[in-house]
Amino acid sequence: MTEEQLQQRMQQLRSCQTLTTIALIGAPVSLLVGGVALSTAALVCAIVAFVRMRRLVDPDDVPGSVGRTLYVQSVVALVASCVALGFNAVAFVFMFDALLEAMQSGDASALFDSFGSAPQEAPSSGKSIWD
């Protein structure tokens, strides 16, 4: 391998590492935030990184090499992004009816009822200072 080819390969590995890092961070964050768009972006980054890594990794690379390590990380990012997108899609499907009803009626209390908890009213003793 010439010096120029080695530099080009290292640049491509850095690009794949960046995409993999974005996917590995974006997938769990999308679960916390509840974003289908973020998990989709993480999945796209993971797919691009995985496809690039399949072309870059050499069959004669030893298991501890940089190429193999990044390949394994891209596979983990791909799986994590798929799982996050699946969970977010299921949550979106379950919440879509309540969200649509709340948007049409203007009553956001229906969203809280869909979580399984009824809104609680404050107990009144009749001896309020505001009466």
Side-chain angles (χ1 to χ4, degrees):
M1 231 183 198
T2 65
E3 183 69 28
E4 183 178 318
Q5 290 174 339
L6 185 62
Q7 290 295 330
Q8 185 179 9
R9 185 169 190 256
M10 290 303 291
Q11 182 181 5
Q12 290 172 343
L13 284 174
R14 275 189 232 112
S15 172
C16 289
Q17 182 182 19
T18 302
L19 289 169
T20 302
T21 303
I22 290 169
L24 284 173
I25 292 172
V29 169
S30 73
L31 287 174
L32 294 174
V33 176
V36 175
L38 182 58
S39 59
T40 303
L43 181 62
V44 167
C45 288
I47 289 171
V48 170
F50 178 74
V51 168
R52 285 184 184 175
M53 284 306 301
R54 285 192 67 187
R55 282 189 276 139
L56 284 175
V57 73
D58 291 331
D60 57 344
D61 280 349
V62 293
S65 68
V66 175
R68 284 285 178 189
T69 304
L70 286 176
Y71 179 75
V72 170
Q73 285 180 356
S74 68
V75 170
V76 170
L78 186 64
V79 170
S81 299
C82 286
V83 169
L85 182 62
F87 282 150
N88 283 328
V90 167
F92 179 75
V93 166
F94 282 125
M95 289 297 297
F96 184 72
D97 290 334
L99 183 64
L100 190 62
E101 182 181 328
M103 287 173 49
Q104 288 176 346
S105 68
D107 184 19
S109 66
L111 289 176
F112 299 114
D113 292 340
S114 67
F115 290 122
S117 63
Q120 298 177 356
E121 295 181 17
S124 65
S125 62
K127 296 183 179 182
S128 173
I129 60 171
W130 304 109
D131 287 340

